[in-house]
């Protein structure tokens, strides 16, 4: 059975004390073998977090990397630096990075390749905005975002990777996509990758992200192709996050 993932994206939030408190509680919480948690704190706290975590199913992820490995790129962090401190996952192409940092599909695909080459696991965010949803372009948008990775990195690249389907209109809005619509697009993503990428769909995990909380997570996980969730806002509150873990534990 594929592990159910819970990815927590703290974005630009948290400090030393809040992260230590959160991890001390999380370390003590029962997390079933079939469940895996990836905490994505701001990069400056990842090393500290690494020294605190002792549970074997809690992992750490970064929220971005630079497209270069070293050199005169002031302010950037490379994938090798993350590897150096024992980080396993990297979120790429989050809609906030696409929007505020003007990251293109091509740039994201290059970063995806770097993460794979470093033997870390990329978490590629894809998804449509409100206008594209209204126009019925969800599949087309996701296919375009996947295609750029396939065309730059080659067909096998999606083996052992994570895709997070995150409709932009659902992120931080309190409006969640219906489980059946998420199921449909997750199926589409898996079939698409299988068709163009020659990948066994058991080797990719497709997460849903967009206003997931303790009240809607169960309905989402009943769907066959929702392999886990990416949680933003609700992951900042330990009690809410713990309830999400308990629900996932029960599946
Ligand atoms: C996100 O950060 O990708 C996200 C899904 O946020 P939220 O859960 O707050 O919508």
């Amino acid at each position: 059975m594929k592990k159910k993932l819970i990815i927590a994206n703290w974005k630009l939030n948290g400090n030393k004390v809040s992260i230590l408190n959160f991890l001390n509680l999380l370390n003590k919480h029962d997390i079933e073998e079939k469940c895996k948690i990836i905490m994505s704190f701001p990069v400056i706290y990842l090393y500290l977090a690494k020294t605190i975590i002792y549970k074997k199913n809690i992992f750490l992820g970064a929220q971005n990397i630079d497209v270069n490995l070293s050199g005169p790129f002031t302010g950037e962090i490379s994938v090798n630096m993350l590897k150096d401190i024992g980080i396993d996952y990297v979120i790429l192409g989050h809609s906030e990075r696409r929007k505020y940092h003007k990251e293109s599909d091509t740039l994201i695909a290059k970063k995806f390749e770097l993460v794979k080459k470093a033997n870390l696991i990329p978490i590629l965010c894809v998804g449509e905005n409100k206008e594209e949803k209204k126009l019925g372009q969800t599949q087309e948008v996701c296919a375009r975002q996947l295609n750029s990775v396939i065309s730059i990195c080659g067909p096998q690249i999606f083996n052992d990777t994570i895709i997070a389907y995150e409709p932009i209109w659902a992120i931080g809005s309190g409006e969640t996509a219906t489980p059946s619509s998420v199921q449909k697009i997750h199926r589409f993503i898996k079939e698409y990758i299988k068709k163009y990428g020659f990948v066994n769909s058991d080797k990719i995990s497709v997460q849903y992200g967009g206003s997931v909380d303790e009240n809607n997570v169960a309905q989402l996980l009943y769907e066959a192709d929702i392999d886990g969730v990416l949680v933003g806002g609700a992951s900042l509150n330990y009690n809410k996050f713990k309830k999400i873990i308990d629900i996932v534990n029960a599946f």
Side-chain angles (χ1 to χ4, degrees):
M1 184 194 174
K2 215 193 282 182
K3 288 204 191 251
K4 290 269 182 230
L5 294 186
I6 309 174
I7 304 169
N9 179 14
W10 273 40
K11 313 189 189 202
L12 188 56
N13 292 297
N15 56 39
K16 218 164 60 177
V17 171
S18 63
I19 290 171
L20 288 179
N21 287 342
F22 191 98
L23 288 177
N24 283 331
L25 292 167
L26 192 60
N27 267 331
K28 290 188 207 118
H29 193 65
D30 278 340
I31 304 165
E32 296 282 330
E33 182 68 23
K34 63 183 181 219
C35 177
K36 192 169 177 177
I37 296 179
I38 302 168
M39 296 301 308
S40 192
F41 297 119
V43 73
I44 193 167
Y45 298 116
L46 289 176
Y47 186 65
L48 173 71
K50 182 82 189 165
T51 63
I52 301 295
I53 293 168
Y54 58 76
K55 268 256 169 65
K56 68 174 180 355
N57 38 3
I58 306 174
F59 295 83
L60 289 168
Q63 300 170 15
N64 180 40
I65 49 156
D66 189 45
V67 70
N68 298 288
L69 288 177
S70 65
F73 304 101
T74 303
E76 298 297 343
I77 302 286
S78 79
V79 69
N80 290 343
M81 292 170 184
L82 293 176
K83 192 173 175 164
D84 196 28
I85 61 163
I87 303 308
D88 297 298
Y89 296 86
V90 186
I91 297 176
L92 294 173
H94 191 283
S95 62
E96 287 152 14
R97 291 213 59 88
R98 292 179 191 262
K99 180 176 175 191
Y100 301 122
H101 300 273
K102 308 280 172 276
E103 293 202 0
S104 66
D105 288 342
T106 306
L107 180 84
I108 294 160
K110 287 182 184 161
K111 291 183 177 187
F112 193 99
E113 188 173 38
L114 284 182
V115 173
K116 280 295 275 180
K117 278 190 176 156
N119 286 322
L120 272 63
I121 301 179
I123 301 167
L124 176 70
C125 300
V126 299
E128 81 288 0
N129 64 29
K130 203 166 206 147
E131 191 55 31
E132 290 159 341
K133 173 182 155 59
K134 246 193 254 159
L135 295 170
Q137 294 174 341
T138 299
Q139 292 192 354
E140 202 180 302
V141 170
C142 292
R144 191 199 72 223
Q145 292 169 332
L146 297 172
N147 272 344
S148 63
V149 174
I150 293 172
S151 67
I152 287 188
C153 308
Q156 306 280 345
I157 197 84
F158 280 109
N159 269 315
D160 298 313
T161 62
I162 301 170
I163 313 281
Y165 168 60
E166 298 212 296
I168 297 168
W169 50 269
I171 296 177
S173 66
E175 200 186 334
T176 322
T178 61
S180 60
S181 68
V182 178
Q183 163 59 27
K184 203 166 143 206
I185 187 73
H186 280 211
R187 188 77 237 140
F188 168 79
I189 289 170
K190 288 181 183 177
E191 290 299 324
Y192 193 85
I193 290 174
K194 216 157 85 180
K195 188 163 155 209
Y196 293 98
F198 314 108
V199 174
N200 176 347
S201 50
D202 283 347
K203 303 279 274 173
I204 47 163
S205 181
V206 184
Q207 314 296 115
Y208 168 74
S211 297
V212 173
D213 62 21
E214 70 283 16
N215 301 313
N216 55 32
V217 66
Q219 296 306 319
L220 288 159
L221 292 178
Y222 279 122
E223 300 291 343
D225 290 299
I226 303 181
D227 301 318
V229 284
L230 194 158
V231 188
S235 73
L236 294 169
N237 176 316
Y238 183 75
N239 286 328
K240 281 175 181 276
F241 195 62
K242 181 172 85 77
K243 284 184 189 156
I244 294 173
I245 297 172
D246 289 342
I247 292 165
V248 178
N249 269 342
F251 267 81

